[in-house]
Amino acid sequence: MTAPTLQQPSFLLANLKADSTTKALLQRCQDLVRIIEEYPAKELHLIFPWLMENVFGSLDGVIAGWNLRLISSRSNEYGVVLDFLNPGGPMMKLVYKLQSEEYKYEIPVNYLPGPVKACIQEGVLPDCPLFHNKLQFPPAGVLTLNIALNPFEFFMFYFAFCLIAPRNFPQGQQTGSTDSAYFVLVDLYLKYFLPSEGSVPPSPFSDSRGSVAAASPRSSGTSFSGHGVHSPSLLKHHIFHQPSVNADPAAQEIWRSETLLQMFVELWLHHYSLEMYQKLQSPQVKLALLQYRLSMSSTPCQPHAPTGCGSLHTYQEPFSPSEEHVLVVRLLVKHLHSFSNSLKPEQLPSSSSSSPSAHSHTHPSPLEEFKRVVVQRFVQQKLYLFLQHCFGHWPLDSSFRAVLETWLSYIQPWRYTTEKSNPQPDQNRTVPDKWEPFVHENLLFYTKLFQGFLNRALKTDLVNAKNALMVFRVSKVFAQPHLADMVQKGEQLFLEPEQVVQHRQPRGCLAPGPGGGALWWRQHVVTDSVKVKSHVFSLEGPDCQYQQMFGSDLRAAILNFIQIIAQARQTAKRISDQSIEAASSSSFLSWFGLGSSDNNNTLTGAEPEDSGECLRRTHEFLDRALENLSLIFKLNQGQLVQLVSNLGSAPDDGLSKQLPDCVQSENGLVLTDLGRRQIINGLRRFDLQYQGDPELQPIRSYENALLVRFLYRVSSLVNIRLEGHMTALCSRPDFLGRLGRYYLTDRDSWVRLRQSPMNRQTAERVRRPRLSLRPLASYQTLLLLLLFYALGALLSFGPVSSTALLMAGAVLYGVLMTLFGDKLKVQ
């Protein structure tokens, strides 16, 4: 898979393999440092592929490697790993040493992201330029296709793949910690190759030829369609269009930054469903994008690229990212915002520098241009698909917080700026007007994903403090001043009919204002509208059914959501009060040794951690969420207060004892959507009861096993033989029928089971008359019978007389309960 064929065996590689099983990690790293310094690139070339597998693990997951995701800061190996793998460490020196010799290493196509692999297998060039001109056709008889990567690409591929490779970690060891060696290394690489200040440090080896060769040359007209923008790669633009490569050393080094980012994005975010992939790669989508870009008179459009794979019927990739995966993606998002926001102000496009002379003296450096386009061109589309998949498939538990914070980090780039002037309190922070273009060009991140979160929140238990916190976090972000207005304006630009946009104010040109303001305004609106439409269609396709965030439909859903929040807040308060009462009674009874050790677990709708202080925090989170939602959607405060007060004055105890909202069907009670929300929020519940044959329940510790089995056989024989007679007796409307029903049916059990969901067959089986002798197998019953016969012996009653007396008492008790039982229950 790695080294080219017909290579001589390396004794150095054999020694390293032997040492890997006998020496400690520190000693192995020291040996590798010495080898990297002393041996020539020809020898190091042979050990490099093995070293990648030994450090990061094999691509198929069989070899675990150093387990970087499990090495935490508390481990003795933590410092050794960081020293060896940091961007200026021995491993990177080895990469640069091999890079200067232009070695190539092969990766099987099967380990590429699903869409790229599907494209190659269909014989179509992938959209991502990272894999262009790297395909290696196998010799005759070999079915596996490979791609040839240079040493830096090969290293970054293994490093990025380490996060998503299947691994069988030892039981009890959990991944996902932000202090793991892998997480820290990702942060170090991002800060080194995508610096917010300064430039990327040059490699220690002269690599002018290797740098250019590292990136696959292609014509400047090749589109960046995989990233939603038709533009040539930055690397190719600067290296092949500058008069002198040596005039700008950063142009030689920018390819490493671009390669690292593309490798991270392709391996971590390029996973989604077949339907979405076909929609994004269809010719209709690309044609629609081209038409909208052609309509922008001020922006020249690049020639259209070949269409992608539109009929990959065999492609389907399972995708279930871990929490650790999402945390690393969030780290990438936060750093890219900081990297992009560090763009120098003089590099921003302005009308004052439109002259040729100004351009010639203020040409942006490669790194500065990279900062300007990095988020929209490289990350936007794939991150949107990644988040959309997580919103729809992530479990409905508190682990969704990692996905939520990744989303909130992306839609708040103003949090990652270096501006420190006029700091504002968090609750009063205003979104500056300069971020309005970002909001419009990422409209679906604000509207479509907000609706996705709303659908999740409707299905979660908001009484849980962690879920309530997530609702509060989202409402707090969107309630920032000016943000909701920016989103609403973006929706208006998207929904603006093109005929209206293009012909609005036809007299504006005939009546110019100061500086031609009317004409500029019209062109500005047209350009903004095209940008928003291009963004939406590039992510959702031209046939997308857009639902407005500030439309009437979603407003109705928000009002419904507010009712659920109010109900959950009411439930949290009720459970909190019950918890306080239980705690006080427990503390009183504990003096007598009668207190319960686990009162919290007996409370309806409460998890072990959701009691006491947690429930008070839930009430606070939901209160503030209601305030934020009313600000975002400009709700009528009077109606909101009335709705909340009505819920607060509702008869809480009666509500909690009622059945959830459901309908009767052939299979029993079926919950409605309202009933599901009532159960989720702890407002109502079913009284779950055992619905099987009571005679077949497991033998209890207070029962005699032999007697249970014997009495079951006797009662089964009687029920089979006399089933017709018992049914006829219990069907009679007279006194004998009532007496038979008292002995042969369990009316209280039937009433309890009506409060529990069950199908028609179960109900008929429960109501069927039958004789049950199992109570006689209880040790308590046996003890009472023994005492009764002992008392009869003391009173000179024989066994037969005592039995007759006992039977007469049982019949008399049954007659009295039949005659007066209902009256006693009413009283």
Side-chain angles (χ1 to χ4, degrees):
M1 175 189 76
T2 52
T5 58
L6 302 179
Q7 291 283 353
Q8 295 295 328
S10 171
F11 294 102
L12 176 61
L13 178 59
N15 292 334
L16 288 175
K17 288 183 177 180
D19 293 341
S20 65
T21 59
T22 57
K23 292 185 178 181
L25 180 62
L26 175 61
Q27 191 173 0
R28 280 182 282 159
C29 288
Q30 293 174 348
D31 294 342
L32 287 171
V33 172
R34 176 181 55 81
I35 290 171
I36 292 170
E37 293 290 342
E38 297 178 357
Y39 279 76
K42 183 178 180 180
E43 284 288 335
L44 298 176
H45 161 62
L46 299 177
I47 71 168
F48 187 58
W50 170 84
L51 184 59
M52 291 296 98
E53 285 193 349
N54 185 258
V55 174
F56 300 115
S58 60
L59 301 179
D60 58 6
V62 176
I63 301 174
W66 291 1
N67 281 331
L68 300 179
R69 294 157 58 186
L70 297 181
I71 299 178
S72 65
S73 57
R74 298 178 296 274
S75 173
N76 297 329
E77 301 173 340
Y78 181 79
V80 178
V81 169
L82 293 187
D83 290 341
F84 186 76
L85 295 177
N86 73 76
M91 178 65 85
M92 197 58 67
K93 291 181 180 178
L94 170 62
V95 172
Y96 293 144
K97 199 170 184 178
L98 297 173
Q99 186 76 30
S100 63
E101 300 295 332
E102 300 184 4
Y103 286 112
K104 298 292 183 181
Y105 303 91
E106 295 181 354
I107 293 287
V109 171
N110 292 333
Y111 295 111
L112 296 180
V116 178
K117 176 177 64 176
C119 272
I120 294 176
Q121 291 174 348
E122 291 280 333
V124 182
L125 184 66
D127 284 334
C128 178
L130 183 66
F131 305 109
H132 286 185
N133 300 334
K134 293 181 172 66
L135 189 62
Q136 301 293 309
F137 292 97
V142 180
L143 299 178
T144 303
L145 291 173
N146 298 326
I147 58 169
L149 304 178
N150 64 44
F152 186 80
E153 294 169 338
F154 189 72
F155 172 81
M156 284 301 167
F157 185 93
Y158 262 91
F159 179 75
F161 198 86
C162 180
L163 178 64
I164 60 175
R167 293 284 186 266
N168 292 324
F169 292 112
Q171 202 169 21
Q173 293 185 343
Q174 300 294 331
T175 61
S177 174
T178 54
D179 67 343
S180 68
Y182 185 83
F183 191 91
V184 174
L185 283 171
V186 171
D187 189 38
L188 290 175
Y189 287 140
L190 289 174
K191 291 177 179 177
Y192 186 88
F193 293 106
L194 301 172
S196 299
E197 298 180 1
S199 59
V200 182
S203 62
F205 296 90
S206 177
D207 192 21
S208 61
R209 180 181 59 180
S211 296
V212 178
S216 306
R218 68 186 190 279
S219 64
S220 61
T222 304
S223 77
F224 236 110
S225 57
H227 301 282
V229 179
H230 292 266
S231 173
S233 167
L234 291 175
L235 166 63
K236 275 60 72 177
H237 172 75
H238 290 294
I239 288 183
F240 292 105
H241 291 79
Q242 285 191 354
S244 174
V245 175
N246 295 327
D248 188 1
Q252 293 180 313
E253 300 303 325
I254 190 67
W255 72 268
R256 291 181 296 162
S257 304
E258 186 178 2
T259 298
L260 173 135
L261 179 58
Q262 285 185 341
M263 198 67 77
F264 284 177
V265 170
E266 290 300 316
L267 293 182
W268 294 346
L269 303 179
H270 206 163
H271 303 266
Y272 34 78
S273 66
L274 171 62
E275 180 183 2
M276 179 59 68
Y277 183 62
Q278 289 177 336
K279 182 169 64 174
L280 292 176
Q281 303 301 322
S282 64
Q284 292 80 3
V285 173
K286 294 183 180 295
L287 182 59
L289 292 177
L290 183 61
Q291 290 174 347
Y292 272 104
R293 291 189 178 97
L294 286 173
S295 64
M296 298 173 63
S297 58
S298 60
T299 304
C301 183
Q302 301 291 344
H304 188 54
T307 58
C309 313
S311 59
L312 301 177
H313 301 289
T314 60
Y315 164 60
Q316 182 64 52
E317 183 178 16
F319 177 43
S320 54
S322 62
E323 187 174 356
E324 179 190 21
H325 184 167
V326 177
L327 290 174
V328 174
V329 170
R330 185 186 182 222
L331 175 65
L332 173 65
V333 168
K334 292 167 63 177
H335 183 81
L336 289 180
H337 276 323
S338 299
F339 176 69
S340 178
N341 293 336
S342 65
L343 182 67
K344 297 177 182 178
E346 59 268 19
Q347 303 295 348
L348 296 174
S350 62
S351 58
S352 61
S353 61
S354 58
S355 64
S357 59
H359 281 295
S360 60
H361 293 288
T362 62
H363 184 78
S365 68
L367 190 62
E368 293 301 311
E369 185 176 347
F370 192 39
K371 293 178 181 179
R372 182 174 57 84
V373 300
V374 63
V375 174
Q376 301 299 107
R377 180 177 299 174
F378 289 87
V379 180
Q380 183 194 64
Q381 184 188 67
K382 293 184 175 64
L383 181 64
Y384 174 75
L385 297 175
F386 178 84
L387 292 175
Q388 191 178 46
H389 181 93
C390 291
F391 273 57
H393 296 81
W394 200 275
L396 292 172
D397 56 23
S398 58
S399 65
F400 183 73
R401 178 75 185 276
V403 180
L404 183 79
E405 294 300 335
T406 303
W407 170 46
L408 297 181
S409 295
Y410 182 81
I411 65 176
Q412 298 182 91
W414 47 87
R415 292 182 54 192
Y416 308 101
T417 61
T418 56
E419 299 176 1
K420 301 298 181 183
S421 59
N422 299 327
Q424 297 177 342
D426 207 30
Q427 63 271 18
N428 297 325
R429 180 182 298 167
T430 301
V431 180
D433 294 336
K434 70 177 185 178
W435 293 107
E436 187 174 71
F438 178 89
V439 174
H440 293 172
E441 294 171 9
N442 294 270
L443 182 64
L444 290 180
F445 281 89
Y446 295 90
T447 60
K448 187 71 176 290
L449 293 184
F450 178 85
Q451 296 171 30
F453 173 77
L454 181 62
N455 292 333
R456 287 184 58 90
L458 290 171
K459 303 172 185 175
T460 56
D461 177 15
L462 298 183
V463 179
N464 188 312
K466 295 178 181 178
N467 295 333
L469 174 60
M470 287 191 281
V471 173
F472 163 67
R473 287 281 296 121
V474 174
S475 66
K476 178 183 176 183
V477 168
F478 279 86
Q480 295 177 87
H482 296 171
L483 180 57
D485 296 334
M486 293 178 182
V487 175
Q488 192 168 11
K489 182 179 178 182
E491 286 193 326
Q492 293 172 356
L493 290 172
F494 173 73
L495 298 173
E496 190 79 39
E498 294 189 39
Q499 294 82 2
V500 176
V501 172
Q502 294 178 2
H503 300 287
R504 179 185 293 175
Q505 289 192 0
R507 299 180 182 179
C509 298
L510 300 178
L519 178 60
W520 173 88
W521 176 85
R522 194 185 72 172
Q523 293 176 345
H524 179 68
V525 171
V526 171
T527 301
D528 289 347
S529 177
V530 169
K531 286 182 179 180
V532 176
K533 291 175 184 292
S534 176
H535 156 70
V536 174
F537 292 150
S538 66
L539 297 185
E540 291 289 335
D543 57 343
C544 67
Q545 300 295 326
Y546 184 81
Q547 183 180 8
Q548 296 184 58
M549 180 174 173
F550 294 94
S552 57
D553 292 341
L554 193 68
R555 186 179 181 88
I558 289 295
L559 293 176
N560 183 32
F561 184 49
I562 287 176
Q563 292 181 357
I564 294 174
I565 291 177
Q567 291 174 347
R569 188 183 62 165
Q570 172 185 332
T571 303
K573 184 178 184 303
R574 172 171 54 85
I575 297 175
S576 178
D577 295 342
Q578 292 179 1
S579 177
I580 294 174
E581 293 176 2
S584 60
S585 62
S586 174
S587 61
F588 175 76
L589 294 175
S590 62
W591 291 93
F592 304 97
L594 301 176
S596 173
S597 60
D598 190 14
N599 289 312
N600 293 332
N601 290 342
T602 62
L603 297 177
T604 303
E607 296 180 2
E609 67 271 15
D610 286 346
S611 57
E613 183 63 28
C614 290
L615 287 169
R616 283 189 289 274
R617 290 174 55 203
T618 297
H619 196 277
E620 178 183 354
F621 290 148
L622 297 180
D623 262 344
R624 298 175 66 181
L626 287 174
E627 296 174 2
N628 292 334
L629 288 174
S630 63
L631 290 175
I632 297 168
F633 295 93
K634 298 179 176 60
L635 301 177
N636 189 319
Q637 292 295 323
Q639 293 179 353
L640 185 65
V641 171
Q642 183 179 3
L643 174 63
V644 174
S645 61
N646 289 341
L647 288 172
S649 61
D652 190 48
D653 292 336
L655 183 67
S656 62
K657 294 179 181 179
Q658 296 177 9
L659 288 178
D661 189 68
C662 51
V663 295
Q664 185 70 39
S665 68
E666 295 181 355
N667 296 324
L669 298 177
V670 177
L671 284 171
T672 63
D673 292 339
L674 175 61
R676 293 187 184 93
R677 290 195 293 268
Q678 290 171 343
I679 291 180
I680 289 173
N681 293 291
L683 299 175
R684 299 184 186 183
R685 64 183 180 89
F686 286 111
D687 186 13
L688 298 180
Q689 299 288 336
Y690 176 75
Q691 296 182 3
D693 189 345
E695 302 298 316
L696 297 178
Q697 295 185 57
I699 299 175
R700 308 296 199 271
S701 59
Y702 55 82
E703 293 177 324
N704 184 280
L706 292 177
L707 275 179
V708 169
R709 297 186 179 97
F710 173 74
L711 294 175
Y712 174 73
R713 295 189 181 94
V714 174
S715 59
S716 298
L717 181 62
V718 173
N719 291 329
I720 294 173
R721 295 285 181 87
L722 303 177
E723 179 179 7
H725 297 284
M726 290 189 295
T727 302
L729 175 63
C730 295
S731 301
R732 295 177 58 169
D734 54 7
F735 176 77
L736 289 180
R738 294 170 57 193
L739 183 63
R741 287 192 292 273
Y742 175 79
Y743 282 110
L744 300 177
T745 60
D746 189 352
R747 185 174 179 274
D748 294 336
S749 176
W750 164 244
V751 173
R752 290 193 304 269
L753 285 175
R754 290 183 60 186
Q755 306 298 316
S756 181
M758 61 178 175
N759 55 34
R760 181 177 300 177
Q761 292 78 7
T762 303
E764 292 177 354
R765 186 179 66 249
V766 171
R767 300 190 66 177
R768 188 181 306 161
R770 59 192 304 170
L771 176 66
S772 177
L773 300 177
R774 183 163 177 168
L776 297 177
S778 170
Y779 288 116
Q780 181 181 6
T781 304
L782 294 174
L783 178 60
L784 292 176
L785 289 176
L786 179 62
L787 292 177
F788 180 80
Y789 280 103
L791 180 61
L794 291 176
L795 298 176
S796 302
F797 287 103
V800 177
S801 301
S802 298
T803 302
L805 184 61
L806 182 64
M807 296 296 294
V811 172
L812 180 61
Y813 178 79
V815 169
L816 293 176
M817 292 301 297
T818 301
L819 293 174
F820 307 107
D822 294 337
K823 295 181 181 180
L824 293 175
K825 288 181 180 180
V826 171
Q827 293 176 357

